[in-house]
Amino acid sequence: MLTSNNVIPSEEVHIDTAAFFGLSDTLRVRRNATLHLSERSYLPKVEDPRSDWVASVASPAFIALKKAGIEVRDFCTIGTGAGLDALAAIEILNARNIVITDLHEDVVSLARQNIIQNTHPSNRLTIFAGAGDLLYPLEEDQLSLDLIYENLPNIPIHPGENLKKDQTSSTFIASRSEEIPEFINRHLITLHYLALKQAYTLLRSNGRILSSIGGRIPLNVIERLGERCGYSSRILTYTWKRQSEPDEVIGGYAKWEEKGYGPFRFYPVQVLEEAFMSIGDTASGALVYEIEHALSPHEMTAQKALEVIKSGTQVGHTVAVLDSVKR
């Protein structure tokens, strides 16, 4: 658990939380929030919410849980970044006991500070913050959680990048001691698999983990992931986001395609906008395969997507939030 908050932020971001979370107003978090970031914090896409994971993916998933009557008191987020996903859970799900983790201590310390400073004192929150890989910071604590949320990177890091130094939110260290099934490795969803495995003992009965997975791979692979880890799984919400850092991220996928992984799926933004235009986020989970089928004529591999971007076309991808409930 972190005890020091003596971290000097390198950047400050201001955000209208209601607009960012897709709400008419906020009750529990400050509407005009200020977020402090370190050089290794994930930078929220305040000017383009459709490119941001919390705005376009996490918030709609939390709203879907709320509409389904799911109660959440104890909430954990893996790889919290600036802490926005925790703020969304506090506002939308009324979570009271918050657990945040991230790889770097400076990131977690500032995220904890962001949560405290941007929530109303009447909330009486309990915040546990731990730095380290996945859920390992929690392995010695006897936690019993209602909900764990993760939005973990997919691309194995290439030589020359340094996770301890650089802001590499889309990559992770590929060398793992754990045994990884072949289909997990081939589709670059290793960290999602490991998070699901580690989460099982931290969830209370009927607790759940939401896995936010860029739908660059077939939906049946994503559903198979949860079942392989012993959960009852379904896709809760299905949406899309504009690809942020396209050269870095799509380029990373392209390199792995060259090695025989994937192929990975990308689409023109205009096609995604039209496909999802009339579908609400809470209804999308029931229509995932119909949407996937409708998009299939417009699929591009990562290598093709890189070529299209050079011509000035914006590229995005779908995102599935896998809802896995502990049996």
Side-chain angles (χ1 to χ4, degrees):
M1 182 175 180
L2 301 181
T3 57
S4 173
N5 287 320
N6 298 320
V7 178
I8 300 174
S10 63
E11 189 167 355
E12 187 175 281
V13 174
H14 302 279
I15 184 170
D16 179 336
T17 53
F20 202 72
F21 297 157
L23 305 172
S24 59
D25 202 357
T26 57
L27 299 174
R28 302 176 183 91
V29 307
R30 299 189 187 282
R31 176 148 192 174
N32 297 310
T34 299
L35 304 176
H36 298 285
L37 312 175
S38 82
E39 292 181 351
R40 296 185 292 192
S41 301
Y42 179 78
L43 180 64
K45 306 299 186 292
V46 177
E47 302 301 323
D48 184 17
R50 182 48 73 176
S51 296
D52 188 272
W53 284 93
V54 174
S56 63
V57 182
S59 292
F62 296 165
I63 290 171
L65 285 184
K66 181 179 180 179
K67 289 183 176 180
I70 305 299
E71 295 184 3
V72 175
R73 182 186 62 186
D74 306 304
F75 171 82
C76 172
T77 171
I78 311 173
T80 190
L84 262 176
D85 48 8
L87 287 172
I90 292 166
E91 177 60 42
I92 298 169
L93 297 171
N94 196 21
R96 298 301 181 93
N97 301 320
I98 308 299
V99 179
I100 58 173
T101 76
D102 209 296
L103 196 59
H104 308 295
E105 186 166 341
D106 56 330
V107 173
V108 178
S109 291
L110 288 174
R112 183 178 185 275
Q113 178 181 321
N114 289 336
I115 295 168
I116 293 171
Q117 293 182 349
N118 291 293
T119 51
H120 299 303
S122 59
N123 285 321
R124 297 182 181 179
L125 299 175
T126 298
I127 304 175
F128 180 102
D133 183 54
L134 299 176
L135 288 166
Y136 284 117
L138 313 180
E139 62 182 349
E140 295 181 2
D141 299 280
Q142 295 182 343
L143 299 177
S144 185
L145 301 166
D146 298 311
L147 175 64
I148 297 174
Y149 171 76
E150 63 91 349
N151 169 31
L152 292 164
N154 298 330
I155 307 172
I157 198 168
H158 284 280
E161 292 180 303
N162 185 347
L163 281 179
K164 293 184 178 180
K165 179 181 179 182
D166 302 328
Q167 198 286 99
T168 50
S169 57
S170 62
T171 55
F172 70 97
I173 297 173
S175 179
R176 308 289 310 194
S177 60
E178 303 94 339
E179 182 177 349
I180 310 297
E182 189 276 335
F183 85 95
I184 299 290
N185 184 57
R186 177 161 47 89
H187 289 98
L188 301 188
I189 48 176
T190 295
L191 290 195
H192 300 291
Y193 170 78
L194 293 174
L196 281 159
K197 297 285 285 185
Q198 292 178 15
Y200 205 88
T201 58
L202 296 174
L203 292 169
R204 57 173 46 101
S205 180
N206 293 320
R208 63 207 325 123
I209 175 170
L210 297 185
S211 304
S212 180
I213 304 175
R216 306 175 185 93
I217 59 176
L219 289 170
N220 60 2
V221 172
I222 294 174
E223 289 189 322
R224 183 182 171 193
L225 165 67
E227 297 294 336
R228 179 62 180 263
C229 295
Y231 294 86
S232 296
S233 295
R234 67 183 178 109
I235 294 177
L236 175 67
T237 55
Y238 192 50
T239 185
W240 70 278
K241 69 181 289 289
R242 187 177 291 105
Q243 181 65 70
S244 56
E245 297 90 29
D247 292 336
E248 173 191 341
V249 177
I250 300 177
Y253 278 103
K255 290 177 182 178
W256 286 97
E257 279 183 347
E258 292 173 356
K259 297 180 181 181
Y261 290 71
F264 303 103
R265 303 172 174 183
F266 296 86
Y267 309 90
V269 162
Q270 183 178 353
V271 170
L272 290 167
E273 288 177 330
E274 292 173 356
F276 285 90
M277 186 178 300
S278 60
I279 303 172
D281 290 314
T282 55
S284 61
L287 300 171
V288 290
Y289 285 101
E290 290 88 339
I291 300 170
E292 183 183 54
H293 178 72
L295 289 171
S296 61
H298 308 281
E299 290 176 9
M300 295 181 287
T301 64
Q303 296 177 33
K304 178 64 176 178
L306 282 177
E307 296 175 9
V308 168
I309 287 173
K310 292 176 183 178
S311 70
T313 300
Q314 290 188 324
V315 170
H317 59 86
T318 57
V319 183
V321 175
L322 184 70
D323 179 17
S324 300
V325 180
K326 183 176 180 178
R327 292 172 175 167

